[in-house]
DNA sequence: CTATTTTCGTGAAACGTTTCACAACTTGTA
DNA sequence: TACAAGTTGTGAAACGTTTCACGAAAATAG
């Protein structure tokens, strides 16, 4: 074992492989070559092999990779071979869309609790979940063993709320507010900035950037 | 300055600079140093300078960069110094959230048209926009001079619909379906995969991945 | 059984990006 | 004017990622 650090891009590509393998399984393929896997996600065979070899070799020379085993293995690496209890804070436009977003549930992310600090929303019901007030946050997160929090609040209140969430002991946060949030070093924070990709498109249009691929790097 | 190709990461960082500069302008700063700009978006001063120098030098040695000019310049580079006519296809959970997403409008992306192929949704109203049927797509896109399409349809129908959109002459598409779409080389396509960041978080939690700031050498 | 084909796994090479380090320039002070 | 402090712009070095190329292994055909 040489350099034991895994890059962000590799992890993101694992998500792609997982997606492709799910399709391959549905199509009843037993094995898949690095070439086929690469084609499906617009990568190169060498990159697929490098990525997968990072976690040990489970391909068979002359044949390829076993679809089912590889899929399970990647699920385990990504931590989606289990269920995650998720709380969602902010039941506005984005928030209420995310409650119903089936892809999350499909990957094992179960939104168990909803929070908002708008009195008019507290007590209301979304997909069978009752919206709670923020004062109850810590007790509810603990009692429901929440490990992951999705933040869909306005940028203006995001930092205050993320501080509160961090104080409750949460170690992983997905932020949808278009703002840079500060968290302690032991908390994992990822920010989903939906305008950024639109800006990338407008940049491409005005600069006539020749296309390389559809994939994101960071 | 020899290599004339701009990297995807640089473009994404421009979005970050733009965001920071918007805040700095609001805080009435006239100039900003690469150091300050870097701090605000958790980058390094050298990287900020390299990125900005790529588009010509507009900083002043000893002083920094002029906030207002730099912001305008980046807006021009990103193509957000103007308005874009946008159509949104698929008025489901995600789609209807995006109609109300203020950040888009703030950056000049005006959602002008809504489409869906569900008879029950056609004719309904979202934020003052009437949902149209898909058979009217080409005429409506042309008449309204739509340059950019956001796709918020189920993965199962995404490819068919993107083909239709491409046939209408659209050259830039933002896809929210968690699937790899095929488009001709002259069409810009970006895919927003919201599960991917959740998967990254679950990976981080199960692998206790040290954050970048932890690995920085002192 | 042997030859041919397929495909993996991986060190090395190529390529790309970030950081370093410093000359050059601007501002401010006296 | 002279000098100190601050900051850019940029080659060069360091670092990181992707691609190449090929040996090894397995499958397949004859």
């Amino acid at each position: 074992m040489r350099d034991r650090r895994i890059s962000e891009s590799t992890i993101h590509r694992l998500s792609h492989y997982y997606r492709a393998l799910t399709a391959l399984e549905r199509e009843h393929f037993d094995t898949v070559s690095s070439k086929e896997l690469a084609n499906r996600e617009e990568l190169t065979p060498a990159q697929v092999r490098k990525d997968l070899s990072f976690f040990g070799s489970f391909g068979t020379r002359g044949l390829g990779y076993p679809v089912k085993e590889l899929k399970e293995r990647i699920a385990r690496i990504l931590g989606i071979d289990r269920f995650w209890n998720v709380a969602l804070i902010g039941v506005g436009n984005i928030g209420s869309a995310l409650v119903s977003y089936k892809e999350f549930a499909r990957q094992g992310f179960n939104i168990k609790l909803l929070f908002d600090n708008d009195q008019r929303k507290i007590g209301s019901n979304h997909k069978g979940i009752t919206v709670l007030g923020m004062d109850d946050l810590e007790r509810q997160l603990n009692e429901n063993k929440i490990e992951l929090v999705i933040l869909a609040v306005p940028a203006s209140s995001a930092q205050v709320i993320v501080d509160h969430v961090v104080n409750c002991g949460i170690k992983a946060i997905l932020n949808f507010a278009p703002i840079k949030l500060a968290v302690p070093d032991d908390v994992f924070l990822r920010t989903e900035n939906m305008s950024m990709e639109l800006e990338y498109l407008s940049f491409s249009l005005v600069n006539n950037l020749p296309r390389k691929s559809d994939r994101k790097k960071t």
Side-chain angles (χ1 to χ4, degrees), chain A residues 93-106:
Chain A
N93 300 314
I94 302 291
S96 42
L98 295 176
V99 186
S100 312
Y101 189 55
K102 294 194 191 67
E103 195 66 12
F104 286 169
R106 211 172 285 136

Side-chain angles (χ1 to χ4, degrees), chain A residues 18-29 40 71:
Chain A
Y18 185 81
R19 184 171 71 177
L21 288 163
T22 303
L24 285 159
E25 201 176 34
R26 203 170 40 234
E27 295 164 29
H28 304 294
F29 284 89
R40 297 216 173 198
K71 187 189 164 210

Side-chain angles (χ1 to χ4, degrees), chain A residues 126-163:
Chain A
H126 287 253
K127 292 275 156 179
I129 311 169
T130 302
V131 178
L132 305 170
M134 291 291 290
D135 16 288
D136 226 16
L137 190 68
E138 184 155 17
R139 212 196 75 225
Q140 291 283 358
L141 292 182
N142 288 333
E143 277 181 13
N144 288 277
K145 305 204 182 317
I146 301 293
E147 294 151 291
L148 229 152
V149 165
I150 300 176
L151 224 73
V153 302
S156 51
S157 47
Q159 185 63 61
V160 175
I161 294 175
V162 87
D163 290 346

